[in-house]
Amino acid sequence: MNRRALLTSLALAPVIGGCRRMAVAGTPPPDLPPLRTITPGAFGTCVQVANLSDPAWLDLARTHVSQLTPEWEMKMEYILADGLGRPRLDRADRIAAFAHDNGMALHGHTLIWYAQGQEAFAGLDNAAFDRAFDGYIATVAGRYRGKVRSWDVVNEPILDDGSGLRDCHWSRRYGQDGYILRAFEKARIADPDAVLFLNEYNLEGIPAKGNQFLRLVERLLRAGCPLQGLGTQSHLWIDIPDGQIAAFIHELSQFGLPIHVSELDVSLRTGDRPDLRGQQERLVRQTARVTELAEAYSGLPPAQQFAFTTWGLRDTDSWFRRDDKDDGKDRPLPFDAFGQPNPMARALAAAFRA
């Protein structure tokens, strides 16, 4: 049995055996140490203000988590809901205060995203657009200066198929590379101490998109962009070919920059196509993908192991469980609805301790 197969079998053993150890809330089972204590770099999760009123979530987070990423309430859609003149920062403030009070790092997410901001900026002439763009970054990044460890400065600039960069309201004003450069330059001024990340999804699963990301990073660095970290969201699917995830992480590491696995989840769903495989077979595939990613991250030089973040802690926290296709059976995250470890949590622990 090779090493990856052994780690997969160890992660699945409690499920296959039909026995799941129960633990006091907030206390990990004896075979699962707090993930924050064994993860190279920080172990993170996303958070919404509603989580801060959930005692079970609080126990789980305080046990396993050392870094938080606001899932939605630090994004432009929330902050500019009342227009450019009245930014809403109340919920981001609450999350920042919670992170500070609990000794957790805070990763800011996100300053500029193609999917948000169009309505607030619509109708502005060029000069007003520039003032609003620069002012937004100065206001938000400046407010959390000294409170955040890092920022996703630009989120998801690449087309889904990897054929090029997205056309959006930002690129129509500044150019496809230009708006990214401008955002990083303004973020650097607003918070000189934060680590500034470019963040993107499906890099491991779609080679053309991964390659486009690498080329974009090369161009930005050549242009003098103060880009300091690379975020791969890692919303993985179970049928990514073996070895493809590790190969991309290796390519990403060649820049020598810190790497953030920034939004990990692995749905057991396979889209709309028929899939006759049972739940257990899908979990085996999921565990193999998670193991490969965690091993590749663990193999990075320590200076590049920035953080390993899951996009939620419990299955019921996941965005996959919020849509009209949810059948209550998906298990995309490390812990189940009761805070007990899924195979994913055990896969992470096995890989990080190997």
Side-chain angles (χ1 to χ4, degrees):
M1 179 180 293
N2 63 33
R3 184 168 177 269
R4 185 164 297 151
L6 175 60
L7 291 176
T8 298
S9 67
L10 290 173
L12 288 164
V15 176
I16 294 171
C19 174
R20 304 196 68 185
R21 296 177 177 88
M22 297 304 293
V24 177
T27 302
D31 60 334
L32 183 73
L35 293 174
R36 60 180 170 77
T37 67
I38 59 172
T39 303
F43 183 80
T45 193
C46 64
V47 60
Q48 295 196 44
V49 163
N51 296 131
L52 306 184
S53 300
D54 180 346
W57 185 92
L58 291 170
D59 283 345
L60 200 61
R62 286 169 174 149
T63 298
H64 291 283
V65 172
S66 57
Q67 179 170 293
L68 294 174
T69 301
E71 184 176 0
W72 176 63
E73 290 142 328
M74 201 178 260
K75 289 177 177 172
M76 191 177 282
E77 182 180 42
Y78 179 82
I79 292 174
L80 294 187
D82 296 330
L84 285 167
R86 300 178 57 189
R88 293 194 304 174
L89 296 162
D90 55 326
R91 295 189 183 182
D93 284 350
R94 285 187 61 188
I95 292 170
F98 174 84
H100 176 269
D101 292 347
N102 287 272
M104 299 176 182
L106 184 63
H107 177 70
H109 177 76
T110 178
L111 290 173
I112 298 297
W113 187 22
Y114 80 92
Q116 295 182 357
Q118 184 165 353
E119 291 182 359
F121 282 72
L124 299 181
D125 63 29
N126 287 346
F129 194 107
D130 294 349
R131 288 193 299 271
F133 185 93
D134 299 349
Y136 178 84
I137 294 174
T139 296
V140 177
R143 185 182 186 90
Y144 299 103
R145 179 173 176 172
K147 298 179 181 179
V148 301
R149 178 190 185 202
S150 48
W151 273 104
D152 286 331
V153 177
V154 173
N155 195 47
E156 301 175 0
I158 299 173
L159 290 167
D160 284 345
D161 64 1
S163 60
L165 271 62
R166 296 182 187 276
D167 176 48
C168 62
H169 46 297
W170 313 124
S171 67
R172 288 191 288 274
R173 170 68 184 124
Y174 302 117
Q176 290 181 326
D177 287 7
Y179 84 87
I180 302 172
L181 285 163
R182 188 181 185 102
F184 273 91
E185 289 164 357
K186 300 305 177 182
R188 176 76 301 144
I189 295 168
D191 190 347
D193 297 321
V195 183
L196 305 182
F197 279 81
L198 181 69
N199 194 48
E200 187 56 270
Y201 70 100
N202 284 358
L203 301 177
E204 305 93 341
I206 301 177
K209 189 167 186 178
N211 290 334
Q212 190 70 243
F213 185 82
L214 299 174
R215 291 197 296 271
L216 173 60
V217 172
E218 289 175 352
R219 292 198 305 274
L220 293 173
L221 293 176
R222 283 199 305 267
C225 181
L227 168 62
Q228 297 171 300
L230 307 175
T232 179
Q233 293 181 16
S234 299
H235 295 293
L236 306 179
W237 53 92
I238 60 175
D239 291 322
I240 294 176
D242 292 348
Q244 190 165 297
I245 295 169
F248 176 76
I249 297 298
H250 175 73
E251 290 296 317
L252 197 63
S253 73
Q254 301 307 297
F255 294 105
L257 297 175
I259 291 174
H260 185 191
V261 174
S262 59
E263 303 183 20
L264 172 66
D265 50 29
V266 191
S267 176
L268 300 180
R269 303 177 189 173
T270 53
D272 296 326
R273 62 183 175 81
D275 188 343
L276 301 180
R277 292 174 296 184
Q279 183 91 335
Q280 189 55 49
E281 186 176 352
R282 297 184 194 203
L283 284 169
V284 169
R285 296 290 301 170
Q286 180 198 65
T287 300
R289 302 289 74 73
V290 170
T291 297
E292 183 177 334
L293 177 66
E295 284 183 333
Y297 172 81
S298 296
L300 294 169
Q304 291 187 265
Q305 296 168 333
F306 184 80
F308 196 99
T309 294
T310 60
W311 210 235
L313 286 175
R314 304 166 300 190
D315 294 332
T316 44
D317 300 325
S318 173
W319 62 295
F320 286 114
R321 299 289 296 270
R322 298 175 195 157
D323 63 33
D324 57 6
K325 295 182 181 179
D326 178 35
D327 59 4
K329 296 178 182 180
D330 203 1
R331 298 170 69 179
L333 290 172
F335 299 93
D336 68 16
F338 303 101
Q340 295 305 302
N342 281 331
M344 182 188 290
R346 299 184 188 280
L348 293 174
F352 291 150
R353 289 189 295 184

mmCIF file of all heavy atoms in Angstrom, residues 123-146:
data_model
loop_
_atom_site.group_PDB
_atom_site.id
_atom_site.type_symbol
_atom_site.label_atom_id
_atom_site.label_comp_id
_atom_site.label_asym_id
_atom_site.label_seq_id
_atom_site.Cartn_x
_atom_site.Cartn_y
_atom_site.Cartn_z
ATOM 1 N N GLY A 123 -22.590 55.057 -13.683
ATOM 2 C CA GLY A 123 -22.892 56.455 -13.947
ATOM 3 C C GLY A 123 -21.816 57.429 -13.528
ATOM 4 O O GLY A 123 -21.957 58.642 -13.792
ATOM 5 N N LEU A 124 -20.739 56.971 -12.891
ATOM 6 C CA LEU A 124 -19.679 57.884 -12.475
ATOM 7 C C LEU A 124 -18.794 58.240 -13.663
ATOM 8 O O LEU A 124 -18.472 57.380 -14.487
ATOM 9 C CB LEU A 124 -18.814 57.231 -11.391
ATOM 10 C CG LEU A 124 -19.507 56.831 -10.080
ATOM 11 C CD1 LEU A 124 -18.484 56.217 -9.132
ATOM 12 C CD2 LEU A 124 -20.201 58.023 -9.434
ATOM 13 N N ASP A 125 -18.403 59.518 -13.747
ATOM 14 C CA ASP A 125 -17.420 59.859 -14.767
ATOM 15 C C ASP A 125 -16.056 59.334 -14.329
ATOM 16 O O ASP A 125 -15.901 58.823 -13.220
ATOM 17 C CB ASP A 125 -17.403 61.361 -15.036
ATOM 18 C CG ASP A 125 -16.989 62.203 -13.831
ATOM 19 O OD1 ASP A 125 -16.208 61.719 -12.976
ATOM 20 O OD2 ASP A 125 -17.433 63.367 -13.741
ATOM 21 N N ASN A 126 -15.067 59.441 -15.202
ATOM 22 C CA ASN A 126 -13.777 58.816 -14.920
ATOM 23 C C ASN A 126 -13.148 59.316 -13.627
ATOM 24 O O ASN A 126 -12.614 58.527 -12.829
ATOM 25 C CB ASN A 126 -12.812 59.041 -16.093
ATOM 26 C CG ASN A 126 -13.169 58.202 -17.299
ATOM 27 O OD1 ASN A 126 -13.956 57.265 -17.209
ATOM 28 N ND2 ASN A 126 -12.593 58.541 -18.447
ATOM 29 N N ALA A 127 -13.185 60.610 -13.409
ATOM 30 C CA ALA A 127 -12.560 61.169 -12.208
ATOM 31 C C ALA A 127 -13.278 60.692 -10.949
ATOM 32 O O ALA A 127 -12.636 60.328 -9.950
ATOM 33 C CB ALA A 127 -12.548 62.695 -12.277
ATOM 34 N N ALA A 128 -14.607 60.672 -10.985
ATOM 35 C CA ALA A 128 -15.366 60.212 -9.827
ATOM 36 C C ALA A 128 -15.161 58.718 -9.598
ATOM 37 O O ALA A 128 -15.091 58.254 -8.446
ATOM 38 C CB ALA A 128 -16.843 60.525 -10.019
ATOM 39 N N PHE A 129 -15.077 57.958 -10.692
ATOM 40 C CA PHE A 129 -14.817 56.517 -10.591
ATOM 41 C C PHE A 129 -13.478 56.290 -9.900
ATOM 42 O O PHE A 129 -13.366 55.457 -8.989
ATOM 43 C CB PHE A 129 -14.809 55.911 -11.992
ATOM 44 C CG PHE A 129 -14.884 54.413 -12.034
ATOM 45 C CD1 PHE A 129 -16.050 53.766 -12.439
ATOM 46 C CD2 PHE A 129 -13.791 53.624 -11.695
ATOM 47 C CE1 PHE A 129 -16.124 52.385 -12.498
ATOM 48 C CE2 PHE A 129 -13.847 52.245 -11.748
ATOM 49 C CZ PHE A 129 -15.014 51.623 -12.151
ATOM 50 N N ASP A 130 -12.453 57.033 -10.304
ATOM 51 C CA ASP A 130 -11.132 56.875 -9.703
ATOM 52 C C ASP A 130 -11.167 57.205 -8.218
ATOM 53 O O ASP A 130 -10.581 56.483 -7.397
ATOM 54 C CB ASP A 130 -10.111 57.781 -10.399
ATOM 55 C CG ASP A 130 -9.856 57.389 -11.849
ATOM 56 O OD1 ASP A 130 -10.301 56.299 -12.257
ATOM 57 O OD2 ASP A 130 -9.214 58.194 -12.559
ATOM 58 N N ARG A 131 -11.826 58.289 -7.865
ATOM 59 C CA ARG A 131 -11.909 58.668 -6.440
ATOM 60 C C ARG A 131 -12.631 57.600 -5.637
ATOM 61 O O ARG A 131 -12.222 57.268 -4.515
ATOM 62 C CB ARG A 131 -12.615 60.017 -6.299
ATOM 63 C CG ARG A 131 -11.802 61.213 -6.767
ATOM 64 C CD ARG A 131 -12.439 62.519 -6.293
ATOM 65 N NE ARG A 131 -13.784 62.709 -6.816
ATOM 66 C CZ ARG A 131 -14.060 63.314 -7.976
ATOM 67 N NH1 ARG A 131 -13.062 63.771 -8.740
ATOM 68 N NH2 ARG A 131 -15.311 63.454 -8.377
ATOM 69 N N ALA A 132 -13.692 57.045 -6.218
ATOM 70 C CA ALA A 132 -14.461 56.030 -5.495
ATOM 71 C C ALA A 132 -13.676 54.732 -5.353
ATOM 72 O O ALA A 132 -13.680 54.098 -4.287
ATOM 73 C CB ALA A 132 -15.786 55.781 -6.208
ATOM 74 N N PHE A 133 -13.006 54.307 -6.420
ATOM 75 C CA PHE A 133 -12.201 53.071 -6.388
ATOM 76 C C PHE A 133 -11.081 53.198 -5.360
ATOM 77 O O PHE A 133 -10.931 52.349 -4.467
ATOM 78 C CB PHE A 133 -11.630 52.826 -7.781
ATOM 79 C CG PHE A 133 -10.878 51.543 -7.951
ATOM 80 C CD1 PHE A 133 -11.522 50.397 -8.399
ATOM 81 C CD2 PHE A 133 -9.509 51.471 -7.697
ATOM 82 C CE1 PHE A 133 -10.832 49.203 -8.580
ATOM 83 C CE2 PHE A 133 -8.804 50.281 -7.874
ATOM 84 C CZ PHE A 133 -9.475 49.144 -8.313
ATOM 85 N N ASP A 134 -10.307 54.265 -5.476
ATOM 86 C CA ASP A 134 -9.194 54.462 -4.555
ATOM 87 C C ASP A 134 -9.690 54.676 -3.134
ATOM 88 O O ASP A 134 -9.110 54.170 -2.168
ATOM 89 C CB ASP A 134 -8.351 55.661 -4.987
ATOM 90 C CG ASP A 134 -7.731 55.491 -6.371
ATOM 91 O OD1 ASP A 134 -7.785 54.365 -6.919
ATOM 92 O OD2 ASP A 134 -7.204 56.487 -6.909
ATOM 93 N N GLY A 135 -10.767 55.424 -3.011
ATOM 94 C CA GLY A 135 -11.292 55.723 -1.681
ATOM 95 C C GLY A 135 -11.854 54.510 -0.985
ATOM 96 O O GLY A 135 -11.725 54.377 0.245
ATOM 97 N N TYR A 136 -12.482 53.623 -1.755
ATOM 98 C CA TYR A 136 -13.016 52.408 -1.133
ATOM 99 C C TYR A 136 -11.890 51.585 -0.521
ATOM 100 O O TYR A 136 -11.980 51.141 0.633
ATOM 101 C CB TYR A 136 -13.775 51.575 -2.167
ATOM 102 C CG TYR A 136 -14.313 50.288 -1.582
ATOM 103 C CD1 TYR A 136 -15.522 50.277 -0.896
ATOM 104 C CD2 TYR A 136 -13.595 49.098 -1.675
ATOM 105 C CE1 TYR A 136 -16.004 49.104 -0.319
ATOM 106 C CE2 TYR A 136 -14.075 47.926 -1.107
ATOM 107 C CZ TYR A 136 -15.279 47.943 -0.427
ATOM 108 O OH TYR A 136 -15.747 46.781 0.152
ATOM 109 N N ILE A 137 -10.826 51.368 -1.268
ATOM 110 C CA ILE A 137 -9.710 50.568 -0.758
ATOM 111 C C ILE A 137 -9.066 51.263 0.432
ATOM 112 O O ILE A 137 -8.752 50.623 1.452
ATOM 113 C CB ILE A 137 -8.687 50.308 -1.878
ATOM 114 C CG1 ILE A 137 -9.319 49.421 -2.948
ATOM 115 C CG2 ILE A 137 -7.425 49.659 -1.315
ATOM 116 C CD1 ILE A 137 -8.457 49.216 -4.179
ATOM 117 N N ALA A 138 -8.887 52.587 0.337
ATOM 118 C CA ALA A 138 -8.289 53.326 1.450
ATOM 119 C C ALA A 138 -9.150 53.224 2.702
ATOM 120 O O ALA A 138 -8.625 53.043 3.816
ATOM 121 C CB ALA A 138 -8.090 54.791 1.052
ATOM 122 N N THR A 139 -10.464 53.310 2.535
ATOM 123 C CA THR A 139 -11.363 53.271 3.691
ATOM 124 C C THR A 139 -11.393 51.896 4.341
ATOM 125 O O THR A 139 -11.237 51.762 5.559
ATOM 126 C CB THR A 139 -12.789 53.666 3.258
ATOM 127 O OG1 THR A 139 -12.778 55.018 2.800
ATOM 128 C CG2 THR A 139 -13.773 53.532 4.416
ATOM 129 N N VAL A 140 -11.575 50.855 3.529
ATOM 130 C CA VAL A 140 -11.760 49.516 4.092
ATOM 131 C C VAL A 140 -10.429 48.933 4.565
ATOM 132 O O VAL A 140 -10.308 48.488 5.718
ATOM 133 C CB VAL A 140 -12.440 48.590 3.065
ATOM 134 C CG1 VAL A 140 -12.574 47.182 3.625
ATOM 135 C CG2 VAL A 140 -13.811 49.142 2.691
ATOM 136 N N ALA A 141 -9.417 48.941 3.703
ATOM 137 C CA ALA A 141 -8.124 48.397 4.123
ATOM 138 C C ALA A 141 -7.521 49.252 5.240
ATOM 139 O O ALA A 141 -6.881 48.726 6.157
ATOM 140 C CB ALA A 141 -7.177 48.311 2.935
ATOM 141 N N GLY A 142 -7.731 50.566 5.160
ATOM 142 C CA GLY A 142 -7.202 51.434 6.208
ATOM 143 C C GLY A 142 -7.864 51.222 7.545
ATOM 144 O O GLY A 142 -7.215 51.297 8.601
ATOM 145 N N ARG A 143 -9.158 50.935 7.535
ATOM 146 C CA ARG A 143 -9.875 50.730 8.805
ATOM 147 C C ARG A 143 -9.337 49.522 9.558
ATOM 148 O O ARG A 143 -9.306 49.516 10.800
ATOM 149 C CB ARG A 143 -11.363 50.540 8.527
ATOM 150 C CG ARG A 143 -12.229 50.429 9.801
ATOM 151 C CD ARG A 143 -13.668 50.201 9.411
ATOM 152 N NE ARG A 143 -14.589 50.218 10.534
ATOM 153 C CZ ARG A 143 -15.203 51.303 11.002
ATOM 154 N NH1 ARG A 143 -14.957 52.481 10.444
ATOM 155 N NH2 ARG A 143 -16.047 51.240 12.018
ATOM 156 N N TYR A 144 -8.919 48.489 8.823
ATOM 157 C CA TYR A 144 -8.474 47.255 9.472
ATOM 158 C C TYR A 144 -6.952 47.118 9.479
ATOM 159 O O TYR A 144 -6.430 46.041 9.752
ATOM 160 C CB TYR A 144 -9.155 46.054 8.813
ATOM 161 C CG TYR A 144 -10.653 46.159 8.968
ATOM 162 C CD1 TYR A 144 -11.454 46.567 7.896
ATOM 163 C CD2 TYR A 144 -11.256 45.952 10.200
ATOM 164 C CE1 TYR A 144 -12.818 46.724 8.054
ATOM 165 C CE2 TYR A 144 -12.615 46.116 10.369
ATOM 166 C CZ TYR A 144 -13.395 46.503 9.292
ATOM 167 O OH TYR A 144 -14.752 46.673 9.457
ATOM 168 N N ARG A 145 -6.278 48.216 9.210
ATOM 169 C CA ARG A 145 -4.815 48.218 9.316
ATOM 170 C C ARG A 145 -4.411 47.845 10.740
ATOM 171 O O ARG A 145 -4.915 48.397 11.716
ATOM 172 C CB ARG A 145 -4.274 49.600 8.958
ATOM 173 C CG ARG A 145 -2.764 49.724 9.058
ATOM 174 C CD ARG A 145 -2.312 51.073 8.523
ATOM 175 N NE ARG A 145 -0.883 51.267 8.676
ATOM 176 C CZ ARG A 145 -0.191 52.288 8.168
ATOM 177 N NH1 ARG A 145 -0.827 53.221 7.464
ATOM 178 N NH2 ARG A 145 1.105 52.386 8.354
ATOM 179 N N GLY A 146 -3.535 46.881 10.851
ATOM 180 C CA GLY A 146 -3.121 46.399 12.157
ATOM 181 C C GLY A 146 -4.052 45.369 12.752
ATOM 182 O O GLY A 146 -3.720 44.756 13.776
#
